[in-house]
Amino acid sequence: MSGNLAAVLEIAEKSSRDHDLWVAWLRTQLVEDWRPGEWDPDTLLFRGDVNNPQTAAMRCSTEGCEIVTKSRGRCTACAKEFRASGLSEEEFNATVRPAANRRYLEPGTCTVERDGLGCQREFHSRGLCRAHSLQWIKATRAASKRKPFQGTLEEWMRSVAVPHDALAECRVAGCSLEQVTLHEGLCRVHDRRWKDLRKSLDYVPVLDRWVEHETPYMAVHHFSLAPLSEVGRLEMLYALQQRDLRHQKIEPSAIRAVVKGLEGVECLLVAGPGVFDTSNFSGAANVVALVKEVAWSIQQGHDRFLGIEPMDKLVWDMKAVIYASGRTEKRAPGTRTALVDFNTVTQPWLREAVMEWARSTRPANTRFRRHVAACVVASTVLARLPGGGMDPTSVRFAEMTLVADAFRKQTKRDGDLQTSKHRADSLAAFYTILDFGRSAGLLNELHGTFARHSQHRIIREDSNEDEIGKAIPESVIRQLDAHLDHFGDEFPYRGYPPEDISAMLRAIYQVLRDTGRRPREVLSLKRDCLEFDGNDCLLIWNNYKGKRMRRRLPISRETAEHIQAWAKHREGLVTPSRSRSYLFPAVSEASEFAHMSTQYLSRAMRLWVTSIDEIHSEGTGRDGRPVPFDRDKIYPYAFRHSYAQRHADAEVPIDVLKDLMDHRSTDTTARYYKVSLKRKQEAVKKMRLHVVDRHGNPAPMASNKAYELRSVAVPFGGCTEPSNVKAGGHACPIRFQCAGCGFYRPDPSYLAAIEDQIRDLKADKETALAMGTDEYVIRNFQDQIDSFKKVAKNMHEQIDQLPEDEREELMESVKVLRRSRAARGRMLPLTVIKRGESSA
């Protein structure tokens, strides 16, 4: 025997031995008595239980319909009938019943019965088995030797038909249909498949081998592993059982598609990645996802077979790590498959410290990633030094100073500096790794000066928890309200019907908009979150950020009605058991939270906002048309900014707004007022240059102080009459006949009020004419109309002559000053948006 041949035979023998060991290991890992009542290991058939929430199989929601579907709702036939009926949901459910012969679970039996004995054979047509159906046809057919039966089918069944014993079942394992061929022992379905196969081949196939890998007659909630090879069956069953242990649903229809694509593969482990190429399978997203998961489960199983744990590698598969840590309840399965590459920490001593810290402490996913990222920052700095920081004895105080400086300069993806809190937390995370490494004896050689020091601290600045200035304008909120009926359209929320998803998201939006709570605070509301005290409505919520629970917020009756409407709708939903007490339920039992997560809400809002054709900002462009609003500024948290800014603009007392926002300090609340004041000052700075007199001639104010202190706001402009200014606008000597007053000082922010007054004066004039009033009264009305028209005309001409950019800035100032005046002297309702107010 040559050396090359011996080497080849040795490799073949080792491969065979490893294969046998792999198969033996798989057998030891399979769960005994898995899914009793659903999985039959003898027939390799899975019959999904429609009452098992972990199986994607449910009966049609139409009462009396036996058809099984993959998700909640009506089957295809009932849905088609419902659309054609023109009835409402309630009317259809109350009046329509599916036809009696509609069946989908198992084949029925013949209805012939005599002397208490029924026919045991399979239903064929007209309620009869095949034999009785043929007998009935012969009995009613005209023949030369026998007179045709003259009665009805029911009479024939009672007087003539004789019940038959059941025929043997099809020889295909798990097939519940009866045999129709004595020689092959196949049912009508498999007999047809066998004949078609024989016609398509140029040789005679072996029946026994074909039967061994043939799938039985199945419904939508069934699947069979028979088509796979012996090893493939074990591998697929292992992958499905692992999926079940991760609390993921078993979806028979998707599994059938995957099994079909893997037919003929001897061993899935060694078949190569080409076998799991998703282009070889159905294009449905759930099938593609299942293909990837089967491949992943088998590879993870092989690692375990070899004794390799997920945290032994330099590249961690976080999905495997999370499940290996026993924290499946912290995240919806299958949603996070990211890899963490520890090779990015180039210094072996630092890499081993952070890896051992993660193995020992088993931190939550967010904390784990923060600490790894901090080590990457430090590793990058050390790698630039001579020697690359590979020797732990060579890094000392100077090197730690460089590392601390790198944390101080940390930036976001867009290049902006990270918040001081983020930078301080990152540096603290790096110190945590060093402290752990020293206490665990992993960093004994690390020099003592490479440690935390007072000079290396990052001071946390007074955090601006609400990112002042990111409020969504009220005009934009009104546009969103107009499209609210489409919030949730086509958004998938596993297992919930589309109309329920939309209703839930609309309710969430209304609470976000009207209460100014943070997204998590809204999503975690309990079903009993409302409290009534006389005519007052209170929302009970939890401030998780401030660790202050069961807070009470006054809300409007309208907002309370929105919450009550959704709570009533929610009563009819089938939700995860963990979500029983929450107003907005989670997507599944395995979700990170027992209520809807902020990630789902953010995705749903992004999909909705993107679907709206036009969203305009408050300004206009060079062509005079509204400027599109930046849709990236519309996200759940932004409604908290809008709530606070709305109240600050309305001059709600700062201590009241502080309590409404549940801020610890008025310093944070005051920033909203600073934004309002700054905007008003900028508006006054522009507006004072466009003041006119009662004739419409320019009469600009010399300064902001002159605009605000030497004049007082009256209904149609500013007034500089000293006694009226001193009295705050309540002592006009000529009873607000502004059009004829030399102290009258209007500006463009009063144009809308002036034009309204012109219309009112015209209406008053017509009324006076109809009453036969004296001419001097009519003349007074007309003179005021002419004067106001002249003022409005001159202001419009002056505005039109401005460059486009200045005109846009002026119109923005108009809106700011109008809102400021509208809010002066009154308290804004706590949660009601002024939907009818113009933004112009």
Side-chain angles (χ1 to χ4, degrees), residues 275-289:
V275 171
F276 293 100
D277 186 344
T278 54
S279 62
N280 299 330
F281 298 83
S282 165
N286 58 340
V287 175
V288 171

Side-chain angles (χ1 to χ4, degrees), residues 51-113:
N51 297 315
N52 187 344
Q54 286 302 108
T55 301
M58 301 177 185
R59 292 197 190 280
C60 173
S61 60
T62 303
E63 186 176 347
C65 181
E66 293 296 314
I67 291 182
V68 178
T69 64
K70 294 183 289 186
S71 59
R72 292 184 180 93
R74 304 186 193 277
C75 65
T76 303
C78 286
K80 183 177 180 181
E81 188 174 347
F82 170 65
R83 288 192 297 268
S85 70
L87 301 174
S88 66
E89 287 274 355
E90 295 75 12
E91 293 171 336
F92 185 85
N93 292 334
T95 59
V96 176
R97 293 292 178 268
N101 65 344
R102 294 175 71 181
R103 53 187 174 73
Y104 207 73
L105 294 175
E106 298 290 347
T109 56
C110 180
T111 57
V112 170
E113 184 177 356

Side-chain angles (χ1 to χ4, degrees), residues 592-820:
E592 182 174 3
F593 299 105
H595 50 77
M596 178 186 281
S597 71
T598 55
Q599 289 86 350
Y600 273 104
L601 175 58
S602 297
R603 289 204 298 269
M605 186 167 289
R606 177 61 48 218
L607 179 66
W608 172 50
V609 170
T610 304
S611 70
I612 299 175
D613 292 335
E614 293 181 336
I615 302 179
H616 298 144
S617 65
E618 294 183 320
T620 57
R622 295 181 179 276
D623 56 359
R625 296 180 179 179
V627 176
F629 186 75
D630 184 358
R631 298 173 193 241
D632 289 340
K633 295 180 179 179
I634 303 175
Y635 52 91
Y637 205 107
F639 289 95
R640 177 169 174 83
H641 312 323
S642 300
Y643 176 89
Q645 195 64 61
R646 186 186 315 143
H647 287 73
D649 289 345
E651 300 180 5
V652 171
I654 190 170
D655 57 332
V656 174
L657 183 53
K658 169 183 172 292
D659 291 339
L660 292 177
M661 298 298 290
D662 204 32
H663 289 154
R664 288 188 181 276
S665 169
T666 55
D667 292 342
T668 301
T669 315
R671 300 185 186 191
Y672 287 104
Y673 292 86
K674 290 178 182 177
V675 169
S676 297
L677 179 61
K678 183 179 180 181
R679 285 205 300 247
K680 183 180 176 182
Q681 289 172 341
E682 290 295 325
V684 168
K685 183 178 180 181
K686 294 180 177 65
M687 197 60 60
R688 67 180 175 81
L689 302 176
H690 299 277
V691 175
V692 298
D693 60 18
R694 70 186 181 91
H695 301 294
N697 299 318
M701 294 287 186
S703 65
N704 285 20
K705 288 185 178 180
Y707 183 92
E708 295 191 83
L709 300 180
R710 296 179 186 175
S711 64
V712 65
V714 290
F716 318 117
C719 178
T720 59
E721 199 282 321
S723 61
N724 196 29
V725 172
K726 186 176 181 180
H730 298 289
C732 176
I734 60 173
R735 299 183 182 178
F736 299 106
Q737 299 289 310
C738 297
C741 179
F743 293 102
Y744 178 44
R745 295 293 183 271
D747 61 58
S749 66
Y750 289 94
L751 261 174
I754 292 172
E755 290 168 348
D756 285 343
Q757 176 66 358
I758 293 172
R759 287 189 287 269
D760 291 342
L761 288 169
K762 287 181 178 180
D764 291 344
K765 176 186 172 184
E766 295 299 324
T767 303
L769 287 170
M771 295 171 60
T773 308
D774 285 344
E775 182 182 352
Y776 77 89
V777 176
I778 305 299
R779 188 171 59 252
N780 178 268
F781 280 131
Q782 188 60 49
D783 288 345
Q784 288 189 71
I785 291 171
D786 293 341
S787 180
F788 277 128
K789 277 187 173 180
K790 183 178 179 181
V791 169
K793 178 183 176 183
N794 287 350
M795 278 198 289
H796 277 300
E797 289 177 351
Q798 292 174 27
I799 292 172
D800 291 340
Q801 292 172 3
L802 293 173
E804 291 185 6
D805 55 346
E806 290 186 26
R807 185 166 61 247
E808 292 172 13
E809 292 177 356
L810 178 63
M811 298 315 294
E812 285 295 321
S813 300
V814 167
K815 297 168 189 173
V816 171
L817 291 177
R818 286 191 62 205
R819 283 200 295 265
S820 176

Side-chain angles (χ1 to χ4, degrees), residues 544-575:
Y544 296 104
K545 184 170 185 177
K547 296 181 175 58
R548 299 186 290 277
M549 304 301 160
R550 293 193 64 79
R551 312 296 285 172
R552 282 168 172 77
L553 175 75
I555 61 175
S556 70
R557 176 68 62 174
E558 180 185 3
T559 305
E561 289 173 353
H562 290 319
I563 295 173
Q564 289 175 318
W566 164 247
K568 183 177 180 180
H569 186 125
R570 189 206 181 289
E571 291 176 359
L573 296 184
V574 178
T575 63

